[in-house]
Amino acid sequence: MASESTSPSDFIRALVARDIETGKHAGRVVTRFPPEPNGYLHIGHAKSICLNFGIAEEHPGGICHLRFDDTNPSKENVEYVQSIQDDVRWLGFDWKDRMFYASDYFEALYRYAVGLIEKGLAYVDSLSPDEIRAYRGTLTEPGKDSPFRSRSPEENLDLFTRMRAGEFPDGAQVLRAKIDMSSPNINLRDPILYRIRHVAHHRTGSAWCIYPTYDYAHPLSDAIEGITHSICTLEFEDHRPLYDWVLEQVVGPDHPQQIEFARLNLSHTVMSKRKLLELVEHKHVNGWDDPRLPTLKGLRRRGYTPQAIRAFCEHIGVAKRDAVVEMALLEHFIREDLNRRTPRVMAVLRPLRVVLENYPEDRTEELEAVNNPEDAAMGNRHVPFSRVLYIEHDDFRENPPKKFFRLSPGQEVRLRYAYIIKCVGVVKDERTGEVVELRCTYDPTTRSGAQEGRKVKGTVHWVSASHAIPAEVRLYDSLLRDDQTKEDDQRDWQASLNPKSLERLTSCLVEPSLAGASPGGRYQFERQGYFCVDPDSAAGPLVFNRTVPLRDSWAKIQKAQGDH
Ligand code: ATP
Ligand code: MG
């Protein structure tokens, strides 16, 4: 008997499993990811991608389409179409030969509209946009029938044909479904199916001057493609009766099913396309791939791996209720992934010069360093050691507080993979009083790996002055200062941008093994965090982005919550 029964992990998967069992849709599973090509994908889209492609992969013969929902010509363009494909592939999903455009269905959608008109289920309305709004009613008051609602199918057909032929200006006519102006669901109060827009489309050029609305085009695109489960976010829940109405009129009772789930909201960032576009256009960030953005391009440049993003999406799961996920949780997942895969290296971000007075001037030692304590297969490397070194400014205090186990006058510390050193003097800038150099001695009997003999409490990282490579390091902090969860209510949301979201350190020094590190390369800088080589490095000195610091604030949050 089978012993491993895996039960579906969420309500959508449960529903799909049940449909397969009952033979609905003939047991097929066909999903789709339907981005509108009017912006770059973000981590919220990743949730939808993982869900749609994930469910398809979980069932033999299951497929997931990539469909560009390009029914709104004014904001869409090919740059977005290309970047969306890149991003879905980067996440590791494959639509095979199933890439479609809603605009490919314009002719079919038009034919279906003609069919609705002929059946008396759609009419051309000549009210102005303002009048249409006024006639629609409110949540508490029913709408009113348009005086044009009783036009005959012949008259409607004639007008619709002339709309398509370009006889009318924008806004002069619309095609509406004839449903129920007094429905408690406003979406059913004769929704608009077609608008006149004399705008060229990035794929169909000037072939069309009428464009279908989302509510009309989406269900029919699903039906044309044979989608079985049309998964979308909760804001479309109230549109479902319309989705079903359109399909029942056009294709009959066997049609795709719309299923809604809660979108991903992340703390400390923005995810609406409008806001992301504003950030890019107003140059609050440096383009769509700015590592501070939650766009997939931004996360990728910052050093996120597709595996970490997928693990995060799997962990948060899908639910029916809106919630905000802490950014710290996403950071937790990238840290876990990078901990396993990245080599350790030493890099000093804010260098303080150290001279070992008793170490010979002309000597260099090659010390053995471990590449990844989590993975012995990653091996060892050699790190050069010499008389003049740099350590992190923070690792020295002239007047150390209690429990400061790093370097201070008269105290000892271990240099990672090297020796114990003692601070015997401090050189200061005469004018500013700032500490500019430490005079130290080393204890030759304490080399790491040999019998280390004595132990000291602190270990610090370092680089050898004559061997280190200069680098720039970009540190990132959250995009928004506070938790901006109600981002859409926030009028002046730009006021909450964190002015310290980017800090550039330009006099960093990294160990020589990083020479020639190529863009995209990921490392752990010992004691500091995970870093990734930025593409800007191609032009000159190495540039690193800090993906995430080592400290795991998610672990802390969990602890504070009592380890549930
Ligand atoms: P807009 O900002 O214009 O509302 P959108 O973010 O909904 O756009 P689409 O291109 O329509 O962008 O999204 C494609 C798919 O991704 C849709 O099915 C949408 O429901 C889903 N999606 C978008 N944002 C999120 C999110 N934050 N969480 C989960 N799914 C999302
Ligand atoms: Mg949308």
Side-chain angles (χ1 to χ4, degrees):
M1 287 295 295
S3 54
E4 273 180 50
S5 81
T6 47
S7 56
S9 54
D10 58 68
F11 75 96
I12 300 182
R13 287 178 163 90
L15 193 146
V16 171
R18 207 180 56 216
D19 286 349
I20 292 174
E21 234 174 77
T22 61
K24 193 175 172 189
H25 312 294
R28 292 177 313 125
V29 177
V30 187
T31 57
R32 85 285 171 267
F33 173 63
E36 186 181 349
N38 64 350
Y40 280 72
L41 298 182
H42 53 61
I43 181 85
H45 292 113
K47 176 175 175 178
S48 173
I49 294 168
C50 290
L51 185 59
N52 280 294
F53 281 93
I55 287 178
E57 277 179 1
E58 286 156 24
H59 297 284
I63 41 182
C64 180
H65 297 185
L66 174 62
R67 181 198 313 143
F68 291 102
D69 207 334
D70 58 347
T71 52
N72 177 357
S74 46
K75 294 183 187 157
E76 298 165 357
N77 73 45
V78 272
E79 175 195 345
Y80 299 135
V81 167
Q82 197 50 56
S83 81
I84 288 170
Q85 293 177 53
D86 285 353
D87 286 346
V88 175
R89 270 201 211 98
W90 179 71
L91 278 179
F93 294 108
D94 183 1
W95 55 86
K96 309 228 165 69
D97 57 347
R98 309 299 180 115
M99 187 174 86
F100 303 103
Y101 292 86
S103 56
D104 288 345
Y105 312 138
F106 281 172
E107 191 61 45
L109 297 176
Y110 179 84
R111 295 278 139 222
Y112 291 137
V114 167
L116 289 175
I117 293 172
E118 286 168 349
K119 287 200 248 172
L121 292 169
Y123 63 99
V124 173
D125 196 349
S126 312
L127 289 180
S128 71
D130 283 345
E131 289 167 323
I132 290 179
R133 212 166 298 124
Y135 275 64
R136 186 171 292 138
T138 64
L139 285 174
T140 50
E141 281 168 47
K144 271 194 311 185
D145 285 3
S146 161
F148 303 103
R149 196 174 198 262
S150 49
R151 277 174 168 156
S152 68
E154 294 70 33
E155 191 184 351
N156 284 321
L157 268 184
D158 173 58
L159 285 168
F160 191 48
T161 311
R162 288 160 58 196
M163 278 169 67
R164 177 179 183 171
E167 272 188 41
F168 306 107
D170 288 8
Q173 322 276 359
V174 289
L175 183 73
R176 300 179 72 170
K178 198 174 198 171
I179 308 181
D180 179 4
M181 286 307 291
S182 59
S183 170
N185 184 338
I186 294 192
N187 295 303
L188 294 180
R189 293 185 190 166
D190 291 9
I192 295 174
L193 308 181
Y194 271 90
R195 288 194 175 85
I196 301 174
R197 304 193 60 188
H198 292 271
V199 177
H201 183 280
H202 72 105
R203 296 192 79 239
T204 58
S206 54
W208 294 88
C209 63
I210 57 172
Y211 290 97
T213 54
Y214 174 90
D215 280 333
Y216 176 67
H218 202 85
L220 290 170
S221 303
D222 284 345
I224 291 168
E225 292 177 15
I227 300 298
T228 55
H229 301 86
S230 178
I231 302 167
C232 64
T233 36
L234 272 185
E235 69 273 23
F236 294 106
E237 195 167 24
D238 291 344
H239 297 240
R240 192 185 339 130
L242 176 53
Y243 182 96
D244 291 339
W245 184 92
V246 169
L247 291 180
E248 268 147 34
Q249 307 316 317
V250 176
V251 299
D254 278 341
H255 61 71
Q257 179 182 4
Q258 175 179 306
I259 307 159
E260 309 87 16
F261 71 99
R263 62 173 49 227
L264 168 66
N265 300 304
L266 255 194
S267 71
H268 299 93
T269 192
V270 296
M271 283 211 272
S272 106
K273 282 185 188 161
R274 176 180 62 81
K275 288 180 182 173
L276 290 169
L277 186 66
E278 263 174 61
L279 288 175
V280 172
E281 284 188 338
H282 299 180
K283 304 220 181 321
H284 292 295
V285 296
N286 306 312
W288 286 101
D289 66 345
D290 188 298
R292 288 168 288 181
L293 293 180
T295 53
L296 294 179
K297 290 267 187 285
L299 290 168
R300 178 178 182 176
R301 184 164 181 180
R302 178 138 165 186
Y304 273 76
T305 61
Q307 292 83 354
I309 292 174
R310 288 174 64 158
F312 166 77
C313 289
E314 196 168 308
H315 176 89
I316 56 175
V318 284
K320 248 337 219 194
R321 177 100 53 90
D322 271 315
V324 180
V325 174
E326 284 296 326
M327 184 62 92
L329 181 62
L330 178 60
E331 292 179 343
H332 172 77
F333 276 91
I334 186 61
R335 219 177 257 119
E336 294 248 296
D337 189 30
L338 294 180
N339 182 39
R340 262 175 260 128
R341 65 169 77 225
T342 55
R344 274 57 171 164
V345 292
M346 292 198 283
V348 174
L349 304 193
R350 297 172 180 89
L352 174 59
R353 194 176 146 92
V354 170
V355 178
L356 302 180
E357 293 185 334
N358 60 339
Y359 196 91
E361 300 236 9
D362 53 358
R363 182 146 132 212
T364 297
E365 280 175 86
E366 293 290 337
L367 302 177
E368 183 107 343
V370 178
N371 287 334
N372 188 344
E374 303 282 320
D375 182 2
M378 288 174 75
N380 293 350
R381 69 187 184 288
H382 287 118
V383 187
F385 184 85
S386 64
R387 175 180 162 91
V388 183
L389 311 168
Y390 284 96
I391 64 167
E392 209 68 59
H393 228 293
D394 269 2
D395 283 333
F396 173 78
R397 292 283 185 89
E398 198 172 9
N399 300 300
K402 266 211 170 111
K403 297 201 174 163
F404 182 82
F405 298 127
R406 292 168 269 168
L407 203 55
S408 55
Q411 294 301 307
E412 286 186 322
V413 79
R414 171 169 293 283
L415 295 177
R416 183 89 164 124
Y417 303 119
Y419 299 94
I420 291 175
I421 63 167
K422 179 177 192 167
C423 176
V424 295
V426 173
V427 181
K428 294 184 182 176
D429 182 307
E430 277 175 13
R431 276 182 312 115
T432 62
E434 192 201 347
V435 176
V436 292
E437 183 180 295
L438 303 179
R439 309 297 294 185
C440 297
T441 55
Y442 87 111
D443 178 347
T445 68
T446 58
R447 181 168 159 170
S448 282
Q451 336 95 330
E452 291 177 21
R454 302 187 296 117
K455 293 227 183 307
V456 285
K457 283 212 164 125
T459 299
V460 303
H461 59 275
W462 52 274
V463 292
S464 161
S466 56
H467 301 91
I469 308 172
E472 172 179 331
V473 172
R474 299 176 185 163
L475 303 178
Y476 301 100
D477 197 354
S478 58
L479 190 60
L480 298 187
R481 271 195 305 224
D482 298 310
D483 193 3
Q484 299 297 317
T485 54
K486 291 203 181 135
E487 46 162 294
D488 286 319
D489 310 331
Q490 205 79 32
R491 276 247 193 90
D492 189 17
W493 65 276
Q494 294 188 5
S496 40
L497 286 174
N498 176 5
K500 298 201 179 112
S501 58
L502 168 61
E503 185 181 1
R504 294 173 67 156
L505 303 175
T506 51
S507 40
C508 311
L509 293 166
V510 301
E511 66 168 67
S513 74
L514 285 169
S518 44
R522 302 183 182 94
Y523 301 89
Q524 185 195 101
F525 288 0
E526 290 215 23
R527 299 177 62 231
Q528 318 206 59
Y530 296 96
F531 293 77
C532 166
V533 183
D534 190 84
D536 284 352
S537 304
L542 280 170
V543 178
F544 290 91
N545 295 312
R546 184 173 66 191
T547 312
V548 66
L550 275 187
R551 182 178 42 91
D552 187 342
S553 45
W554 176 248
K556 266 200 205 145
I557 291 174
Q558 262 189 329
K559 215 166 205 151
Q561 291 168 345
D563 284 320
H564 289 308

